[in-house]
Amino acid sequence: MAESELARDAVSVLSQYLQRKSADGPAAYNAALEGLLTQVQARFSEPFLAEVFARFTERPTGSVETGAMRLYLSQEISRDGDFARQLKSVLGGRKASKVKASRKGIRWAAAVVGVTVLLAAVFVAARVTQASDQTNIAAPTTVTLAPATGTPTSTSASPTPTTESNPDTSSVAAGPAVAGDGSSVPKGAPVSLLDLPLTNNEWHAQHGDHDVQLTQYPNSLWNMLATCNSGAYRGEQQFRLKNFTRLEVKAVGTDSTASPDLAVKFEVFLNDDGVNPKQTLVVNPGEKKPFTLDLPENVFALKLRTSFTVPTGRPCRSGNAVWGSPHVVAAGR
């Protein structure tokens, strides 16, 4: 099946990347693969799947952990065509290594996979049940071991985000005539942060249309945060710019898939200062707030950072911290 092949490729690529990160540390960092890791983690936000993901990141070479990841990722892909297309896009054509095997070897491997999946389901379900007793979150009582095919049997439905009634996004300029230069557009013109140059030309955040507390905002930025993943304790994105007077964000907060008790800190740093934020805003669970900041004349770089205000570690809590429709206001000609 195409779903199984896509899940196999994604898990294989992530397993190899996590091994390199463990061995080489920061030197192994790859923005595209971090994006793939974040994409999968965002999908595995439900408590049971979050535990599967956490076990995989802790032991990416384990047969039980990788087998469980392939199974449940294949199920998620079969349920959602949009997610499958996003995963293919982030995966960028990377494929799992092909290994020749005899028929006897194939039959043996199939048997191992079956046992692996069974062990994974029992082990992870037990782990989730234990964690749920501590956090009053009910773990699933039934585990389906066969990958979903055809029409999904799940009756649960995800919340449907509404659209911001007056987000004023029609007034956002398509982009300055000179990228990042606010003097190349009329004074007071809003320019989306997505149209600004990136430091080192690297994306570290996801970007596009996204919701903040069920209200949809176009041209947004977001990072997946997870208390059980040391690589996702915080997220940030930096832009280069000049001749802008103000940063305005329609709303900041967590999205509809986030853990309901997740509080997040939103910070903005200027130029090369990554220690002293120019502005900080804490958004409590269930809240969304506007974010504004006047920019001094000498600003040449803008860094947006999100991080936890809750303790890291277990119980696992995760969610996307979102900057809804951020833009800067041009100083003009």
Side-chain angles (χ1 to χ4, degrees):
M1 292 178 59
E3 296 90 348
S4 298
E5 293 175 357
L6 179 57
R8 180 202 63 195
D9 290 337
V11 172
S12 176
V13 168
L14 290 177
S15 175
Q16 294 170 19
Y17 179 53
L18 289 170
Q19 291 176 60
R20 290 199 302 271
K21 285 182 65 177
S22 177
D24 301 335
Y29 179 86
N30 182 290
L33 295 181
E34 283 291 332
L36 175 62
L37 190 65
T38 300
Q39 190 80 14
V40 174
Q41 184 178 26
R43 191 69 184 189
F44 280 46
S45 58
E46 179 267 330
F48 177 80
L49 294 180
E51 181 65 18
V52 173
F53 183 87
R55 294 289 302 169
F56 170 69
T57 56
E58 290 173 0
R59 195 164 178 263
T61 60
S63 59
V64 172
E65 289 77 9
T66 55
M69 276 295 297
R70 283 194 296 269
L71 170 66
Y72 292 107
L73 185 57
S74 178
Q75 289 182 341
E76 293 301 308
I77 290 170
S78 67
R79 291 189 181 107
D80 190 337
D82 289 338
F83 173 60
R85 286 187 288 273
Q86 293 171 5
L87 198 61
K88 288 180 182 177
S89 176
V90 178
L91 193 57
R94 293 179 172 87
K95 297 291 183 181
S97 300
K98 294 184 178 180
V99 180
K100 294 182 179 180
S102 65
R103 292 182 180 178
K104 180 179 179 180
I106 291 174
R107 290 195 298 269
W108 179 85
V112 170
V113 169
V115 174
T116 292
V117 169
L118 179 60
L119 290 174
V122 174
F123 182 73
V124 175
R127 288 278 303 253
V128 173
T129 302
Q130 182 181 13
S132 299
D133 291 339
Q134 297 172 352
T135 59
N136 296 324
I137 300 176
T141 57
T142 302
V143 178
T144 302
L145 295 181
T149 59
T151 303
T153 58
S154 173
T155 58
S156 61
S158 300
T160 302
T162 59
T163 301
E164 172 69 9
S165 59
N166 184 25
D168 295 330
T169 54
S170 59
S171 62
V172 176
V178 178
D181 188 353
S183 65
S184 63
V185 291
K187 181 178 181 180
V191 175
S192 170
L193 261 62
L194 274 63
D195 292 321
L196 299 180
L198 306 174
T199 299
N200 297 325
N201 199 32
E202 291 182 348
W203 276 109
H204 299 289
Q206 301 294 304
H207 52 94
D209 296 349
H210 208 78
D211 77 282
V212 181
Q213 292 300 319
L214 293 174
T215 299
Q216 197 78 3
Y217 292 88
N219 302 319
S220 298
L221 300 168
W222 66 94
N223 291 99
M224 162 60 74
L225 302 179
T227 60
C228 290
N229 185 346
S230 60
Y233 289 167
R234 75 180 191 186
E236 59 187 33
Q237 182 66 55
Q238 189 172 52
F239 302 90
R240 297 300 303 272
L241 75 168
K242 66 177 182 179
N243 296 321
F244 288 95
T245 62
R246 187 173 175 84
L247 167 68
E248 297 181 352
V249 188
K250 295 296 181 182
V252 295
T254 55
D255 67 2
S256 57
T257 67
S259 299
D261 57 349
L262 198 63
V264 178
K265 180 167 60 176
F266 293 80
E267 298 174 290
V268 173
F269 299 84
L270 302 182
N271 299 337
D272 56 354
D273 186 351
V275 178
N276 304 298
K278 186 68 175 178
Q279 179 122 321
T280 300
L281 182 64
V282 174
V283 181
N284 293 315
E287 292 183 338
K288 65 174 182 178
K289 299 179 181 179
F291 190 109
T292 59
L293 171 64
D294 291 328
L295 302 176
E297 292 183 1
N298 63 341
V299 171
F300 58 82
L302 189 70
K303 180 182 291 184
L304 277 58
R305 179 183 294 170
T306 56
S307 58
F308 287 122
T309 64
V310 296
T312 56
R314 300 183 186 279
C316 294
R317 286 171 286 182
S318 63
N320 291 309
V322 188
W323 304 82
S325 299
H327 63 270
V328 283
V329 178
R333 301 180 177 89

